[in-house]
Amino acid sequence: MPYAETPLTLECQGDALVGILTQPAQSSELGVLIIVGGPQCRTGSHRQFTLLARGLARHGIPSLRFDYRGMGDSTGALRNFEEIQEDIASALQGFLAHSPTTRRFVLWGLCDAASAALFHTRINPEIAGLILCNPWTRTEQGFAKAQIKHYYRNRLTNPQLWKKILTGQFRLTQSLRELCTAVLKTTQSPAPRGPLLPLPERMQRALADYPGPTLLILSGQDLTAREFEDTVKTSDLWKSWLSSPAVTRHDLPEADHTFSQRHWNDQVIQRSAEWVNSLA
């Protein structure tokens, strides 16, 4: 299906957001706003978001990918994923203004952009759906536990590790120091965060307010995804959400965090497009 790509400049609290609207010749009324995980621009690692937008267009789905303030070609101060809600709102308004057939939106996010998408449902209850890829639930304790449980255990069965040990290339002292640091972090209490709850708890509260459909895509070879799975196991609310009919889960057992090989990325595009069209 043919498509057109149109550069846009959108206003956000006095700054300019630069984005690319990708629109097929025959568009669905359901559009996808691609929220970029940070810190990177609208193209994405190995052109991931460019390929995603064009792949969605081939399935008749319009999309907008954009640089939030302080990134890429957009102006303003750099900000983290919890500070881009106004950017998302401005991008959605621009999407509506420049895509006449679009009436509803799915938010698509990878890593901390997935977390930002979830937070935005508390601001905009009209969101039609979420596509969350390897959501970011990072805490120091959670990451340390994921390292020990998934990274270090897997390394013990890796032939390359034993080859390094046998050939004297393995840096034993440094590796032991890193392991001890990770173990220590699992026993420490979380550092005080002032009035803010830990990130997983804030995400839980957003989940409780969002009853809509979600596509969850998880990579098998990614510590961020493993930390997310470990977080889910600690909470009845998370577990209830994951088992809900509103949540569709798709696993890519061999994929890394950004789906860096073309066939992994193609699977993400195909699964995302099929799921979005099922909502139309």
Side-chain angles (χ1 to χ4, degrees), residues 14-52:
D15 287 311
L17 304 181
V18 176
I20 302 291
L21 176 67
T22 304
Q23 201 159 23
Q26 296 180 337
S27 289
S28 163
E29 71 164 17
L30 193 56
V32 174
L33 183 70
I34 300 171
I35 306 172
V36 175
Q40 57 181 323
C41 67
R42 64 186 180 272
T43 303
S45 304
H46 46 83
R47 300 173 66 243
Q48 177 183 18
F49 303 131
T50 299
L51 295 173
L52 171 62

PDB file of all heavy atoms in Angstrom, residues 14-52:
ATOM      1  N   GLY A  14       5.543  26.674  23.862  1.00  0.00           N
ATOM      2  CA  GLY A  14       6.514  27.627  23.344  1.00  0.00           C
ATOM      3  C   GLY A  14       7.698  27.006  22.624  1.00  0.00           C
ATOM      4  O   GLY A  14       8.506  27.725  22.033  1.00  0.00           O
ATOM      5  N   ASP A  15       7.833  25.700  22.657  1.00  0.00           N
ATOM      6  CA  ASP A  15       8.900  25.006  21.939  1.00  0.00           C
ATOM      7  C   ASP A  15       8.327  24.301  20.718  1.00  0.00           C
ATOM      8  O   ASP A  15       7.115  24.150  20.571  1.00  0.00           O
ATOM      9  CB  ASP A  15       9.587  23.985  22.848  1.00  0.00           C
ATOM     10  CG  ASP A  15      10.472  24.651  23.890  1.00  0.00           C
ATOM     11  OD1 ASP A  15      11.278  25.519  23.505  1.00  0.00           O
ATOM     12  OD2 ASP A  15      10.353  24.318  25.082  1.00  0.00           O
ATOM     13  N   ALA A  16       9.230  23.862  19.835  1.00  0.00           N
ATOM     14  CA  ALA A  16       8.832  23.215  18.590  1.00  0.00           C
ATOM     15  C   ALA A  16       9.162  21.728  18.634  1.00  0.00           C
ATOM     16  O   ALA A  16      10.300  21.349  18.898  1.00  0.00           O
ATOM     17  CB  ALA A  16       9.534  23.873  17.410  1.00  0.00           C
ATOM     18  N   LEU A  17       8.155  20.905  18.399  1.00  0.00           N
ATOM     19  CA  LEU A  17       8.352  19.475  18.253  1.00  0.00           C
ATOM     20  C   LEU A  17       8.399  19.141  16.768  1.00  0.00           C
ATOM     21  O   LEU A  17       7.507  19.529  16.016  1.00  0.00           O
ATOM     22  CB  LEU A  17       7.199  18.689  18.895  1.00  0.00           C
ATOM     23  CG  LEU A  17       6.875  18.947  20.363  1.00  0.00           C
ATOM     24  CD1 LEU A  17       5.709  18.048  20.794  1.00  0.00           C
ATOM     25  CD2 LEU A  17       8.079  18.710  21.241  1.00  0.00           C
ATOM     26  N   VAL A  18       9.395  18.402  16.359  1.00  0.00           N
ATOM     27  CA  VAL A  18       9.531  18.003  14.966  1.00  0.00           C
ATOM     28  C   VAL A  18       9.154  16.532  14.837  1.00  0.00           C
ATOM     29  O   VAL A  18       9.625  15.686  15.608  1.00  0.00           O
ATOM     30  CB  VAL A  18      10.967  18.229  14.455  1.00  0.00           C
ATOM     31  CG1 VAL A  18      11.127  17.715  13.024  1.00  0.00           C
ATOM     32  CG2 VAL A  18      11.314  19.711  14.527  1.00  0.00           C
ATOM     33  N   GLY A  19       8.273  16.236  13.896  1.00  0.00           N
ATOM     34  CA  GLY A  19       7.821  14.867  13.716  1.00  0.00           C
ATOM     35  C   GLY A  19       7.612  14.529  12.251  1.00  0.00           C
ATOM     36  O   GLY A  19       7.689  15.393  11.370  1.00  0.00           O
ATOM     37  N   ILE A  20       7.353  13.245  12.002  1.00  0.00           N
ATOM     38  CA  ILE A  20       7.057  12.753  10.657  1.00  0.00           C
ATOM     39  C   ILE A  20       5.716  12.022  10.699  1.00  0.00           C
ATOM     40  O   ILE A  20       5.560  11.042  11.438  1.00  0.00           O
ATOM     41  CB  ILE A  20       8.145  11.786  10.142  1.00  0.00           C
ATOM     42  CG1 ILE A  20       9.521  12.449  10.132  1.00  0.00           C
ATOM     43  CG2 ILE A  20       7.778  11.275   8.747  1.00  0.00           C
ATOM     44  CD1 ILE A  20       9.688  13.552   9.114  1.00  0.00           C
ATOM     45  N   LEU A  21       4.760  12.529   9.923  1.00  0.00           N
ATOM     46  CA  LEU A  21       3.467  11.870   9.782  1.00  0.00           C
ATOM     47  C   LEU A  21       3.551  10.914   8.600  1.00  0.00           C
ATOM     48  O   LEU A  21       3.881  11.317   7.487  1.00  0.00           O
ATOM     49  CB  LEU A  21       2.367  12.910   9.549  1.00  0.00           C
ATOM     50  CG  LEU A  21       0.958  12.374   9.288  1.00  0.00           C
ATOM     51  CD1 LEU A  21       0.404  11.681  10.521  1.00  0.00           C
ATOM     52  CD2 LEU A  21       0.033  13.508   8.845  1.00  0.00           C
ATOM     53  N   THR A  22       3.291   9.640   8.840  1.00  0.00           N
ATOM     54  CA  THR A  22       3.291   8.631   7.780  1.00  0.00           C
ATOM     55  C   THR A  22       1.858   8.180   7.564  1.00  0.00           C
ATOM     56  O   THR A  22       1.235   7.622   8.476  1.00  0.00           O
ATOM     57  CB  THR A  22       4.177   7.428   8.163  1.00  0.00           C
ATOM     58  OG1 THR A  22       5.500   7.897   8.471  1.00  0.00           O
ATOM     59  CG2 THR A  22       4.268   6.429   7.020  1.00  0.00           C
ATOM     60  N   GLN A  23       1.358   8.446   6.351  1.00  0.00           N
ATOM     61  CA  GLN A  23      -0.070   8.253   6.109  1.00  0.00           C
ATOM     62  C   GLN A  23      -0.293   7.444   4.833  1.00  0.00           C
ATOM     63  O   GLN A  23       0.154   7.829   3.752  1.00  0.00           O
ATOM     64  CB  GLN A  23      -0.760   9.611   5.978  1.00  0.00           C
ATOM     65  CG  GLN A  23      -2.246   9.568   6.222  1.00  0.00           C
ATOM     66  CD  GLN A  23      -2.777  10.945   6.588  1.00  0.00           C
ATOM     67  OE1 GLN A  23      -2.156  11.953   6.259  1.00  0.00           O
ATOM     68  NE2 GLN A  23      -3.915  10.996   7.252  1.00  0.00           N
ATOM     69  N   PRO A  24      -0.965   6.300   4.962  1.00  0.00           N
ATOM     70  CA  PRO A  24      -1.278   5.511   3.768  1.00  0.00           C
ATOM     71  C   PRO A  24      -2.346   6.185   2.919  1.00  0.00           C
ATOM     72  O   PRO A  24      -3.073   7.062   3.397  1.00  0.00           O
ATOM     73  CB  PRO A  24      -1.779   4.184   4.343  1.00  0.00           C
ATOM     74  CG  PRO A  24      -2.261   4.517   5.714  1.00  0.00           C
ATOM     75  CD  PRO A  24      -1.424   5.663   6.203  1.00  0.00           C
ATOM     76  N   ALA A  25      -2.435   5.765   1.671  1.00  0.00           N
ATOM     77  CA  ALA A  25      -3.426   6.361   0.768  1.00  0.00           C
ATOM     78  C   ALA A  25      -4.840   6.138   1.288  1.00  0.00           C
ATOM     79  O   ALA A  25      -5.710   7.003   1.159  1.00  0.00           O
ATOM     80  CB  ALA A  25      -3.271   5.776  -0.636  1.00  0.00           C
ATOM     81  N   GLN A  26      -5.090   4.965   1.876  1.00  0.00           N
ATOM     82  CA  GLN A  26      -6.379   4.672   2.486  1.00  0.00           C
ATOM     83  C   GLN A  26      -6.141   4.397   3.963  1.00  0.00           C
ATOM     84  O   GLN A  26      -5.622   3.345   4.334  1.00  0.00           O
ATOM     85  CB  GLN A  26      -7.034   3.470   1.818  1.00  0.00           C
ATOM     86  CG  GLN A  26      -7.383   3.711   0.353  1.00  0.00           C
ATOM     87  CD  GLN A  26      -8.043   2.511  -0.299  1.00  0.00           C
ATOM     88  OE1 GLN A  26      -7.884   1.390   0.157  1.00  0.00           O
ATOM     89  NE2 GLN A  26      -8.793   2.761  -1.363  1.00  0.00           N
ATOM     90  N   SER A  27      -6.500   5.364   4.802  1.00  0.00           N
ATOM     91  CA  SER A  27      -6.144   5.300   6.217  1.00  0.00           C
ATOM     92  C   SER A  27      -7.276   4.788   7.084  1.00  0.00           C
ATOM     93  O   SER A  27      -8.451   5.092   6.845  1.00  0.00           O
ATOM     94  CB  SER A  27      -5.736   6.690   6.729  1.00  0.00           C
ATOM     95  OG  SER A  27      -4.493   7.058   6.201  1.00  0.00           O
ATOM     96  N   SER A  28      -6.894   4.052   8.094  1.00  0.00           N
ATOM     97  CA  SER A  28      -7.823   3.688   9.156  1.00  0.00           C
ATOM     98  C   SER A  28      -8.108   4.919  10.012  1.00  0.00           C
ATOM     99  O   SER A  28      -7.329   5.877  10.026  1.00  0.00           O
ATOM    100  CB  SER A  28      -7.196   2.591  10.027  1.00  0.00           C
ATOM    101  OG  SER A  28      -7.852   2.481  11.261  1.00  0.00           O
ATOM    102  N   GLU A  29      -9.249   4.915  10.698  1.00  0.00           N
ATOM    103  CA  GLU A  29      -9.525   6.022  11.623  1.00  0.00           C
ATOM    104  C   GLU A  29      -8.710   5.899  12.904  1.00  0.00           C
ATOM    105  O   GLU A  29      -8.684   6.796  13.721  1.00  0.00           O
ATOM    106  CB  GLU A  29     -11.009   6.073  11.967  1.00  0.00           C
ATOM    107  CG  GLU A  29     -11.482   4.933  12.865  1.00  0.00           C
ATOM    108  CD  GLU A  29     -12.829   5.200  13.506  1.00  0.00           C
ATOM    109  OE1 GLU A  29     -13.559   6.092  13.030  1.00  0.00           O
ATOM    110  OE2 GLU A  29     -13.151   4.506  14.489  1.00  0.00           O
ATOM    111  N   LEU A  30      -8.008   4.778  13.069  1.00  0.00           N
ATOM    112  CA  LEU A  30      -7.196   4.526  14.255  1.00  0.00           C
ATOM    113  C   LEU A  30      -5.726   4.760  13.906  1.00  0.00           C
ATOM    114  O   LEU A  30      -5.154   4.082  13.060  1.00  0.00           O
ATOM    115  CB  LEU A  30      -7.414   3.083  14.722  1.00  0.00           C
ATOM    116  CG  LEU A  30      -6.900   2.689  16.102  1.00  0.00           C
ATOM    117  CD1 LEU A  30      -7.471   3.586  17.176  1.00  0.00           C
ATOM    118  CD2 LEU A  30      -7.283   1.238  16.386  1.00  0.00           C
ATOM    119  N   GLY A  31      -5.112   5.748  14.560  1.00  0.00           N
ATOM    120  CA  GLY A  31      -3.715   6.070  14.305  1.00  0.00           C
ATOM    121  C   GLY A  31      -2.823   5.637  15.454  1.00  0.00           C
ATOM    122  O   GLY A  31      -3.299   5.410  16.572  1.00  0.00           O
ATOM    123  N   VAL A  32      -1.534   5.533  15.175  1.00  0.00           N
ATOM    124  CA  VAL A  32      -0.561   5.129  16.186  1.00  0.00           C
ATOM    125  C   VAL A  32       0.425   6.274  16.424  1.00  0.00           C
ATOM    126  O   VAL A  32       1.090   6.738  15.479  1.00  0.00           O
ATOM    127  CB  VAL A  32       0.217   3.867  15.744  1.00  0.00           C
ATOM    128  CG1 VAL A  32       1.328   3.544  16.739  1.00  0.00           C
ATOM    129  CG2 VAL A  32      -0.731   2.683  15.622  1.00  0.00           C
ATOM    130  N   LEU A  33       0.499   6.725  17.671  1.00  0.00           N
ATOM    131  CA  LEU A  33       1.514   7.693  18.054  1.00  0.00           C
ATOM    132  C   LEU A  33       2.711   6.920  18.590  1.00  0.00           C
ATOM    133  O   LEU A  33       2.606   6.216  19.599  1.00  0.00           O
ATOM    134  CB  LEU A  33       0.996   8.653  19.124  1.00  0.00           C
ATOM    135  CG  LEU A  33       1.998   9.748  19.528  1.00  0.00           C
ATOM    136  CD1 LEU A  33       2.190  10.747  18.391  1.00  0.00           C
ATOM    137  CD2 LEU A  33       1.558  10.468  20.794  1.00  0.00           C
ATOM    138  N   ILE A  34       3.840   7.036  17.904  1.00  0.00           N
ATOM    139  CA  ILE A  34       5.060   6.333  18.297  1.00  0.00           C
ATOM    140  C   ILE A  34       5.847   7.242  19.242  1.00  0.00           C
ATOM    141  O   ILE A  34       6.340   8.291  18.834  1.00  0.00           O
ATOM    142  CB  ILE A  34       5.908   5.965  17.062  1.00  0.00           C
ATOM    143  CG1 ILE A  34       5.098   5.058  16.118  1.00  0.00           C
ATOM    144  CG2 ILE A  34       7.210   5.288  17.493  1.00  0.00           C
ATOM    145  CD1 ILE A  34       5.760   4.827  14.773  1.00  0.00           C
ATOM    146  N   ILE A  35       5.925   6.831  20.494  1.00  0.00           N
ATOM    147  CA  ILE A  35       6.659   7.607  21.498  1.00  0.00           C
ATOM    148  C   ILE A  35       8.071   7.040  21.577  1.00  0.00           C
ATOM    149  O   ILE A  35       8.260   5.838  21.775  1.00  0.00           O
ATOM    150  CB  ILE A  35       5.966   7.540  22.869  1.00  0.00           C
ATOM    151  CG1 ILE A  35       4.500   7.967  22.740  1.00  0.00           C
ATOM    152  CG2 ILE A  35       6.682   8.432  23.887  1.00  0.00           C
ATOM    153  CD1 ILE A  35       3.690   7.743  24.004  1.00  0.00           C
ATOM    154  N   VAL A  36       9.041   7.904  21.424  1.00  0.00           N
ATOM    155  CA  VAL A  36      10.431   7.468  21.325  1.00  0.00           C
ATOM    156  C   VAL A  36      11.030   7.275  22.711  1.00  0.00           C
ATOM    157  O   VAL A  36      10.978   8.166  23.555  1.00  0.00           O
ATOM    158  CB  VAL A  36      11.248   8.504  20.532  1.00  0.00           C
ATOM    159  CG1 VAL A  36      12.716   8.141  20.528  1.00  0.00           C
ATOM    160  CG2 VAL A  36      10.718   8.611  19.105  1.00  0.00           C
ATOM    161  N   GLY A  37      11.578   6.080  22.967  1.00  0.00           N
ATOM    162  CA  GLY A  37      12.301   5.860  24.221  1.00  0.00           C
ATOM    163  C   GLY A  37      13.602   6.636  24.219  1.00  0.00           C
ATOM    164  O   GLY A  37      14.226   6.820  23.169  1.00  0.00           O
ATOM    165  N   GLY A  38      14.026   7.076  25.386  1.00  0.00           N
ATOM    166  CA  GLY A  38      15.183   7.963  25.417  1.00  0.00           C
ATOM    167  C   GLY A  38      16.455   7.292  25.870  1.00  0.00           C
ATOM    168  O   GLY A  38      16.439   6.225  26.451  1.00  0.00           O
ATOM    169  N   PRO A  39      17.555   7.988  25.624  1.00  0.00           N
ATOM    170  CA  PRO A  39      17.580   9.202  24.806  1.00  0.00           C
ATOM    171  C   PRO A  39      17.908   8.870  23.344  1.00  0.00           C
ATOM    172  O   PRO A  39      19.012   8.427  23.027  1.00  0.00           O
ATOM    173  CB  PRO A  39      18.710  10.029  25.435  1.00  0.00           C
ATOM    174  CG  PRO A  39      19.653   8.990  25.991  1.00  0.00           C
ATOM    175  CD  PRO A  39      18.839   7.766  26.329  1.00  0.00           C
ATOM    176  N   GLN A  40      16.925   9.040  22.461  1.00  0.00           N
ATOM    177  CA  GLN A  40      17.160   8.882  21.028  1.00  0.00           C
ATOM    178  C   GLN A  40      16.106   9.677  20.275  1.00  0.00           C
ATOM    179  O   GLN A  40      15.168  10.195  20.870  1.00  0.00           O
ATOM    180  CB  GLN A  40      17.143   7.414  20.618  1.00  0.00           C
ATOM    181  CG  GLN A  40      15.874   6.665  20.959  1.00  0.00           C
ATOM    182  CD  GLN A  40      15.942   5.214  20.535  1.00  0.00           C
ATOM    183  OE1 GLN A  40      16.510   4.867  19.495  1.00  0.00           O
ATOM    184  NE2 GLN A  40      15.373   4.326  21.343  1.00  0.00           N
ATOM    185  N   CYS A  41      16.273   9.763  18.954  1.00  0.00           N
ATOM    186  CA  CYS A  41      15.373  10.595  18.161  1.00  0.00           C
ATOM    187  C   CYS A  41      14.361   9.727  17.421  1.00  0.00           C
ATOM    188  O   CYS A  41      14.329   8.511  17.563  1.00  0.00           O
ATOM    189  CB  CYS A  41      16.169  11.472  17.194  1.00  0.00           C
ATOM    190  SG  CYS A  41      17.010  10.532  15.904  1.00  0.00           S
ATOM    191  N   ARG A  42      13.548  10.368  16.604  1.00  0.00           N
ATOM    192  CA  ARG A  42      12.387   9.727  15.980  1.00  0.00           C
ATOM    193  C   ARG A  42      12.749   8.627  14.987  1.00  0.00           C
ATOM    194  O   ARG A  42      11.904   7.829  14.598  1.00  0.00           O
ATOM    195  CB  ARG A  42      11.534  10.792  15.276  1.00  0.00           C
ATOM    196  CG  ARG A  42      12.278  11.471  14.129  1.00  0.00           C
ATOM    197  CD  ARG A  42      11.507  12.621  13.532  1.00  0.00           C
ATOM    198  NE  ARG A  42      12.230  13.246  12.440  1.00  0.00           N
ATOM    199  CZ  ARG A  42      13.099  14.234  12.595  1.00  0.00           C
ATOM    200  NH1 ARG A  42      13.350  14.714  13.805  1.00  0.00           N
ATOM    201  NH2 ARG A  42      13.724  14.747  11.544  1.00  0.00           N
ATOM    202  N   THR A  43      14.007   8.572  14.545  1.00  0.00           N
ATOM    203  CA  THR A  43      14.426   7.512  13.627  1.00  0.00           C
ATOM    204  C   THR A  43      14.530   6.183  14.364  1.00  0.00           C
ATOM    205  O   THR A  43      14.112   5.140  13.863  1.00  0.00           O
ATOM    206  CB  THR A  43      15.789   7.850  12.990  1.00  0.00           C
ATOM    207  OG1 THR A  43      15.678   9.110  12.332  1.00  0.00           O
ATOM    208  CG2 THR A  43      16.210   6.791  12.008  1.00  0.00           C
ATOM    209  N   GLY A  44      15.097   6.227  15.580  1.00  0.00           N
ATOM    210  CA  GLY A  44      15.253   5.032  16.393  1.00  0.00           C
ATOM    211  C   GLY A  44      16.530   4.275  16.090  1.00  0.00           C
ATOM    212  O   GLY A  44      17.170   4.483  15.055  1.00  0.00           O
ATOM    213  N   SER A  45      16.919   3.401  17.000  1.00  0.00           N
ATOM    214  CA  SER A  45      18.086   2.552  16.791  1.00  0.00           C
ATOM    215  C   SER A  45      17.865   1.698  15.552  1.00  0.00           C
ATOM    216  O   SER A  45      16.786   1.140  15.369  1.00  0.00           O
ATOM    217  CB  SER A  45      18.301   1.635  18.003  1.00  0.00           C
ATOM    218  OG  SER A  45      18.409   2.374  19.184  1.00  0.00           O
ATOM    219  N   HIS A  46      18.909   1.596  14.719  1.00  0.00           N
ATOM    220  CA  HIS A  46      18.852   0.855  13.446  1.00  0.00           C
ATOM    221  C   HIS A  46      17.570   1.165  12.671  1.00  0.00           C
ATOM    222  O   HIS A  46      16.928   0.275  12.128  1.00  0.00           O
ATOM    223  CB  HIS A  46      19.044  -0.658  13.668  1.00  0.00           C
ATOM    224  CG  HIS A  46      18.231  -1.229  14.804  1.00  0.00           C
ATOM    225  ND1 HIS A  46      16.914  -1.600  14.668  1.00  0.00           N
ATOM    226  CD2 HIS A  46      18.543  -1.478  16.088  1.00  0.00           C
ATOM    227  CE1 HIS A  46      16.446  -2.047  15.807  1.00  0.00           C
ATOM    228  NE2 HIS A  46      17.415  -1.974  16.695  1.00  0.00           N
ATOM    229  N   ARG A  47      17.165   2.450  12.685  1.00  0.00           N
ATOM    230  CA  ARG A  47      15.986   2.957  11.951  1.00  0.00           C
ATOM    231  C   ARG A  47      14.699   2.264  12.388  1.00  0.00           C
ATOM    232  O   ARG A  47      13.730   2.149  11.621  1.00  0.00           O
ATOM    233  CB  ARG A  47      16.197   2.811  10.436  1.00  0.00           C
ATOM    234  CG  ARG A  47      17.401   3.560   9.919  1.00  0.00           C
ATOM    235  CD  ARG A  47      17.711   3.273   8.455  1.00  0.00           C
ATOM    236  NE  ARG A  47      16.668   3.771   7.590  1.00  0.00           N
ATOM    237  CZ  ARG A  47      15.905   2.986   6.818  1.00  0.00           C
ATOM    238  NH1 ARG A  47      16.058   1.676   6.856  1.00  0.00           N
ATOM    239  NH2 ARG A  47      14.997   3.501   6.032  1.00  0.00           N
ATOM    240  N   GLN A  48      14.654   1.849  13.628  1.00  0.00           N
ATOM    241  CA  GLN A  48      13.541   1.054  14.128  1.00  0.00           C
ATOM    242  C   GLN A  48      12.189   1.740  13.970  1.00  0.00           C
ATOM    243  O   GLN A  48      11.210   1.129  13.513  1.00  0.00           O
ATOM    244  CB  GLN A  48      13.784   0.726  15.598  1.00  0.00           C
ATOM    245  CG  GLN A  48      12.669  -0.049  16.261  1.00  0.00           C
ATOM    246  CD  GLN A  48      12.923  -0.286  17.738  1.00  0.00           C
ATOM    247  OE1 GLN A  48      13.750   0.386  18.338  1.00  0.00           O
ATOM    248  NE2 GLN A  48      12.227  -1.245  18.313  1.00  0.00           N
ATOM    249  N   PHE A  49      12.108   3.020  14.352  1.00  0.00           N
ATOM    250  CA  PHE A  49      10.812   3.701  14.335  1.00  0.00           C
ATOM    251  C   PHE A  49      10.419   4.123  12.920  1.00  0.00           C
ATOM    252  O   PHE A  49       9.232   4.181  12.600  1.00  0.00           O
ATOM    253  CB  PHE A  49      10.832   4.897  15.285  1.00  0.00           C
ATOM    254  CG  PHE A  49      11.194   4.523  16.692  1.00  0.00           C
ATOM    255  CD1 PHE A  49      12.168   5.213  17.393  1.00  0.00           C
ATOM    256  CD2 PHE A  49      10.578   3.440  17.313  1.00  0.00           C
ATOM    257  CE1 PHE A  49      12.517   4.851  18.687  1.00  0.00           C
ATOM    258  CE2 PHE A  49      10.916   3.072  18.598  1.00  0.00           C
ATOM    259  CZ  PHE A  49      11.893   3.776  19.293  1.00  0.00           C
ATOM    260  N   THR A  50      11.408   4.402  12.082  1.00  0.00           N
ATOM    261  CA  THR A  50      11.119   4.666  10.677  1.00  0.00           C
ATOM    262  C   THR A  50      10.502   3.439  10.028  1.00  0.00           C
ATOM    263  O   THR A  50       9.480   3.517   9.330  1.00  0.00           O
ATOM    264  CB  THR A  50      12.404   5.057   9.933  1.00  0.00           C
ATOM    265  OG1 THR A  50      12.945   6.243  10.510  1.00  0.00           O
ATOM    266  CG2 THR A  50      12.135   5.304   8.451  1.00  0.00           C
ATOM    267  N   LEU A  51      11.118   2.275  10.261  1.00  0.00           N
ATOM    268  CA  LEU A  51      10.608   1.026   9.692  1.00  0.00           C
ATOM    269  C   LEU A  51       9.241   0.673  10.266  1.00  0.00           C
ATOM    270  O   LEU A  51       8.362   0.168   9.549  1.00  0.00           O
ATOM    271  CB  LEU A  51      11.597  -0.107   9.960  1.00  0.00           C
ATOM    272  CG  LEU A  51      12.963   0.033   9.277  1.00  0.00           C
ATOM    273  CD1 LEU A  51      13.905  -1.063   9.767  1.00  0.00           C
ATOM    274  CD2 LEU A  51      12.827  -0.021   7.761  1.00  0.00           C
ATOM    275  N   LEU A  52       9.048   0.947  11.550  1.00  0.00           N
ATOM    276  CA  LEU A  52       7.751   0.679  12.179  1.00  0.00           C
ATOM    277  C   LEU A  52       6.657   1.514  11.521  1.00  0.00           C
ATOM    278  O   LEU A  52       5.585   0.992  11.162  1.00  0.00           O
ATOM    279  CB  LEU A  52       7.819   0.986  13.673  1.00  0.00           C
ATOM    280  CG  LEU A  52       6.501   0.955  14.446  1.00  0.00           C
ATOM    281  CD1 LEU A  52       5.870  -0.434  14.400  1.00  0.00           C
ATOM    282  CD2 LEU A  52       6.713   1.406  15.895  1.00  0.00           C
TER     283      LEU A  52
END
